[in-house]
Structure formats: C-alpha cells, structure tokens
Amino acid sequence: LESIADTRALLAAGERLLGGAIFCTFGCHPHNYSEYDDAMEQELLAAMRQCGHKAVAWGECGLDYYKNFYDAQYADKRSRMVDVFAKQARLAVSLGLPLVVHSRDAEEDTVSVLRNNLPRDHPVHVHAFQGSVGMMKQVLEMMPKSVFGMSGVYTFKNVYEHCLDLARNCPLDRLVLETDAPYLSEAPRE
C-alpha cells in the first residue's frame, strides 16, 4: 500500500511535466498475496477512485511461483495465491477495467484463473512476459483482447533465445513494448 502514495506523486508529476500523459493501475502484486484482504482491496479501490480517469486497469496481479517458490510448495499457500489472483480478476471484470497480469513459473494456474474468471472478450495485458510460446498462444487464442508485454530485456546483447521466440510468435497487433523500469529496462548505452 506504500505504492499508493508513490502512484499519486507520479501522477502529479506527470500533470506538471508531461501534460497529463501518465496513467496508473492498482492491484495487489503476487509477491504480496499474503497481505491481500478486504481492507487492502478497499484502500486500493479508494485510491483508484481518487485518481479518476487516470486509473486505467486493475493490476499488476497474478501468480509468481519463482519469487514465492517456498510458499508455492504448500498447498494451502498456493491455493491462497490462486484465490487472491482469481478475486482480483473478477474485480477487474466488475469494474469494467482491463486486467494486468504477472505470471512467472505459474503458467497452468494462470491460464486456469483467466479461463475460469474472465469473459472471453475481457481485455488482458500479460505484463513483462518471459514464459512459454505455448502459454502465449493459448491465451491469445482463448482471450481475443489479450496483449503480451515484452520488456527491455529483449535489447540485451545476450538475450535469451526463448524471449526472441516469444517476439517472433506474437502478432504485432497483440505485442506491447514496455520497460517495467527500473527492473527490466533496456540495455545500458554508453
């Protein structure tokens, strides 16, 4: 929830410096799944309302079995992760907002949540995706309004071949270039 203040500060700076060209999303990141409860949801919704038309999607939410590796080994915690993601997916639908999805080492469960909680035509942005071509194709077919974000790691000299395969296999009209700065920014230049 500390990021709510940061988001408001970025929006204010965007108004001053960029003529309002900054927009935001709100949601519970999968790294913080254990903190998600009704009170957090209400705080996020209140922040979203305060931002008005500048709040354009729900998320980034989803599943991360890489960062949450140890928790994901316990059935009860893994179930809680899936439940938190599914609840946020349904909330995005009820708000009429696109869903921004984080999925890392959790492809089967991510696809299941999308399939079971979203209408087929709901807009989905799978953020900073570095998973499999198979999952990408499955979601693209299952959800015709889905897009896949590809980050600055694609500009690295030693980019992973599977990342290049993702870019080669994603239709251009369904591909979004993004930074996720400072975490997945482009290769440094001299």
Side-chain angles (χ1 to χ4, degrees):
L1 292 176
E2 64 275 355
S3 65
I4 290 174
D6 293 342
T7 300
R8 287 187 187 128
L10 287 170
L11 286 173
E15 288 296 322
R16 277 190 331 273
L17 303 171
L18 300 170
I22 300 286
F23 297 88
C24 65
T25 68
F26 288 95
C28 179
H29 194 280
H31 299 172
N32 305 104
Y33 80 94
S34 64
E35 301 167 28
Y36 192 79
D37 59 15
D38 291 339
M40 176 190 271
E41 184 176 288
Q42 290 308 310
E43 286 188 58
L44 292 167
L45 287 167
M48 182 171 261
R49 282 190 297 274
Q50 289 172 350
C51 292
H53 73 281
K54 293 292 186 177
V56 296
W58 187 269
E60 159 185 3
C61 60
L63 299 169
D64 191 326
Y65 296 161
Y66 178 83
K67 282 278 192 171
N68 296 331
F69 177 80
Y70 294 106
D71 284 3
Q73 305 311 303
Y74 296 94
D76 60 329
K77 290 182 179 184
R78 191 178 190 117
S79 177
R80 170 91 170 115
M81 291 177 204
V82 171
D83 290 345
V84 166
F85 178 32
K87 184 173 184 182
Q88 291 184 87
R90 291 188 301 272
L91 183 60
V93 172
S94 72
L95 295 169
L97 291 171
L99 181 67
V100 180
V101 175
H102 174 112
S103 179
R104 189 170 184 197
D105 290 354
E107 293 187 358
E108 187 175 321
D109 287 342
T110 298
V111 169
S112 178
V113 168
L114 296 176
R115 179 184 303 111
N116 296 326
N117 293 279
L118 298 177
R120 177 173 160 73
D121 65 344
H122 194 81
V124 174
H125 173 168
V126 184
H127 166 64
F129 188 66
Q130 294 183 42
S132 73
V133 170
M135 180 201 167
M136 181 181 69
K137 287 183 174 184
Q138 187 177 5
V139 172
L140 288 169
E141 183 177 323
M142 181 176 73
M143 317 239 18
K145 291 187 178 177
S146 61
V147 296
F148 278 75
M150 306 208 179
S151 69
V153 299
Y154 290 79
T155 67
F156 289 7
K157 186 166 102 175
N158 298 319
V159 65
Y160 295 120
E161 188 64 30
H162 87 275
C163 289
L164 297 176
D165 285 341
L166 287 168
R168 289 181 192 113
N169 284 280
C170 189
L172 288 179
D173 63 336
R174 310 278 293 278
L175 187 147
V176 175
L177 300 176
E178 56 187 1
T179 65
D180 199 26
Y183 305 106
L184 298 173
S185 57
E186 72 279 351
R189 293 190 169 52
E190 294 181 27

